[in-house]
Amino acid sequence: MGNRVLVTGGAGYIGSHTAVELINGGYEVIIVDNLSNSDRSSLEGIRKITGIEPTFIEADCCDREAMRRVFENYEFDSVIHFAAYKAVGESVAEPAKYYRNNLDSFLTVLELMKEFGRNNILFSSSATVYGDADTLPVTELTPRKPATSPYGNTKQMAEDILRDMVAANEGLKGIALRYFNPIGAHPSALIGELPRGVPNNLVPYITQTAAGVRECLSIFGDDYDTPDGSCLRDYIDVVDLARAHVVAIERMVEGKSRERYEIFNIGTGRPVSVFELVRGFEEANNLKLNYRVAPRRAGDVTAVWADTTLANDELGWRAERELRDTLRAAWAWEQSVRQ
Ligand code: NAD
Ligand code: WQD
């Protein structure tokens, strides 16, 4: 049972890459997803990469009875909770949808873990919890700023729910991983990000522009107080990010956690500007991108990147993939989707 993991949202972008790394690490994976932002092609991709088809249950994590059946029918000691909505702008327009889905799904999973005596929970948090931080790079102890979107608020609230649930339930251990900006795709180009409609995030917008699906990339602001005037972010390869989940699960399963609730930044530790990323994409893939400078996007922070010392030292994890390889994989994935 120790080597079985329930992965909610496992058909999605980060979940599918994590399922691959878990399977490659000898874990048995059970995926629950309602396919609200993904489809079964990712399950097929996982099977092709690993040779193993993960168990898949199509269900909504907010549906307590459906989730109860999952807990009744499958033995697992660990859960990775990816299931959530993630579009920042949409969360501003439809806050109730975000609070309902992101909090209800998590509470349902946590309550069932308590009821069924399942012990280890890994939660997908986000660098968004830091907001516009006063000091950079951010460490796990950098104070969180009030959230600037309902989405960001769900991540802060879910972290606090996890902290309190762990404190109240002695058997429970939790880890929140604060992801920085996940990008790229599996080098096989069999799984990757599948944004619906117009992408919000930079790299899918770049790859769709290169593919001719979008006419022109808008660079949101060149007048920030940064070396080249564009924003700075910490872009983490999705396969590196997926590996962090495997070591975090191992830490809990093997009883190596220092505290029963722990938080780790998962990034590269290196700030990269929007212009650098665009140039890196052009060079890595030997093409020219159509872009123009546009006004700043509301809500963007000037800069955020991770201090990853804690993840390096405690998890023994570090980002390994070169940005150029990540940007090649992103383009290979986009091309495979367009075929
Ligand atoms: P994604 O949308 O590709 O994956 C989320 C998956 O969860 C989807 O397959 C979706 O169908 C499923 N889902 C949503 N609500 C559900 C529900 N109620 N029941 C069952 N399944 C449900 O997103 P992703 O990029 O893989 O993100 C995974 C997690 O990581 C999310 O919690 C997200 O907030 C968090 N995160 C993502 C980023 C990022 O930039 N991608 C950054 C930081 C944190
Ligand atoms: C990156 C940079 C934009 C699109 C978001 C969420 C965050 C987390 C990760 C979930 C910024 C610029 C973008 C474009 C651009 N997700 N940009 N033109 O905003 O750092 O983080 O995803 O937790 O919560 O807010 O990522 O990829 O949208 O933007 O110039 O068309 O690219 O201004 O500087 P962001 P992003």
Side-chain angles (χ1 to χ4, degrees):
M1 162 157 158
N3 73 338
R4 263 189 226 130
V5 184
L6 176 70
V7 180
T8 75
Y13 173 44
I14 305 168
S16 57
H17 289 80
T18 301
V20 165
E21 297 308 313
L22 285 167
I23 293 169
N24 287 343
Y27 287 88
E28 212 177 295
V29 171
I30 301 147
I31 292 177
V32 172
D33 201 301
N34 64 0
L35 304 180
S36 57
N37 196 39
S38 53
D39 59 49
R40 286 169 192 269
S41 61
S42 58
L43 304 169
E44 180 61 10
I46 296 169
R47 189 188 63 73
K48 283 190 180 149
I49 296 167
T50 63
I52 291 172
E53 176 121 24
T55 303
F56 175 63
I57 302 122
E58 185 173 346
D60 190 320
C61 295
C62 303
D63 180 341
R64 186 178 293 268
E65 287 321 305
M67 290 305 289
R68 183 187 298 282
R69 284 193 292 279
V70 173
F71 277 75
E72 277 166 359
N73 292 339
Y74 299 94
E75 294 280 324
F76 48 83
D77 217 23
S78 305
V79 180
I80 306 182
H81 186 65
F82 291 106
Y85 296 146
K86 62 166 180 177
V88 175
E90 185 186 56
S91 82
V92 175
E94 295 184 68
K97 175 176 169 179
Y98 276 69
Y99 288 115
R100 177 69 66 193
N101 192 50
N102 294 6
L103 299 180
D104 211 0
S105 63
F106 195 38
L107 285 166
T108 303
V109 165
L110 286 168
E111 284 182 339
L112 287 167
M113 287 183 71
K114 182 180 173 204
E115 185 181 330
F116 286 81
R118 310 293 169 85
N119 296 324
N120 309 317
I121 172 79
L122 201 171
F123 172 66
S124 297
S125 191
S126 168
T128 194
V129 302
Y130 294 112
D132 204 355
D134 292 332
T135 53
L136 291 166
V138 290
T139 77
E140 291 77 357
L141 296 177
T142 301
R144 297 181 323 190
K145 289 285 190 67
T148 52
S149 73
Y151 168 76
N153 211 15
T154 69
K155 292 297 174 194
Q156 292 194 349
M157 291 166 91
E159 283 190 353
D160 294 347
I161 289 169
L162 180 55
R163 179 201 60 207
D164 295 347
M165 287 290 282
V166 167
N169 297 283
E170 228 163 77
L172 198 61
K173 271 179 274 180
I175 291 181
L177 297 184
R178 290 177 175 163
Y179 316 155
F180 281 67
N181 286 58
I183 61 165
H186 195 268
S188 66
L190 290 166
I191 52 174
E193 193 169 5
L194 273 179
R196 295 190 170 171
V198 182
N200 298 306
N201 295 117
L202 179 59
V203 170
Y205 209 105
I206 288 176
T207 57
Q208 290 195 8
T209 305
V213 183
R214 310 280 153 210
E215 211 172 298
C216 182
L217 169 76
S218 296
I219 294 185
F220 297 140
D222 67 351
D223 56 354
Y224 284 97
D225 184 16
T226 60
D228 68 18
S230 67
C231 294
L232 299 173
R233 295 288 183 275
D234 184 333
Y235 296 96
I236 174 77
D237 184 281
V238 68
V239 176
D240 278 336
L241 172 60
R243 285 192 301 104
H245 294 75
V246 180
V247 291
I249 287 291
E250 259 162 26
R251 182 175 175 90
M252 290 190 281
V253 168
E254 291 171 7
K256 291 184 181 154
S257 305
R258 277 186 203 268
E259 310 277 343
R260 286 197 297 113
Y261 172 52
E262 297 180 313
I263 299 172
F264 297 100
N265 283 344
I266 304 295
T268 64
R270 191 166 80 88
V272 171
S273 78
V274 179
F275 284 119
E276 276 178 279
L277 198 87
V278 168
R279 215 175 310 116
F281 182 83
E282 290 182 326
E283 283 169 13
N285 296 301
N286 198 20
L287 47 76
K288 280 276 161 236
L289 201 69
N290 194 18
Y291 67 84
R292 68 189 165 88
V293 174
R296 292 181 178 196
R297 181 173 69 176
D300 276 342
V301 299
T302 303
V304 63
W305 71 95
D307 181 321
T308 61
T309 309
L310 200 62
N312 301 157
D313 293 354
E314 286 293 319
L315 295 178
W317 171 93
R318 64 182 61 247
E320 285 170 3
R321 303 251 301 155
E322 296 288 339
L323 183 59
R324 148 187 285 266
D325 295 331
T326 304
L327 294 172
R328 281 200 184 124
W331 179 226
W333 165 248
E334 183 68 51
Q335 288 173 297
S336 79
V337 171
R338 301 288 147 209
Q339 269 172 9

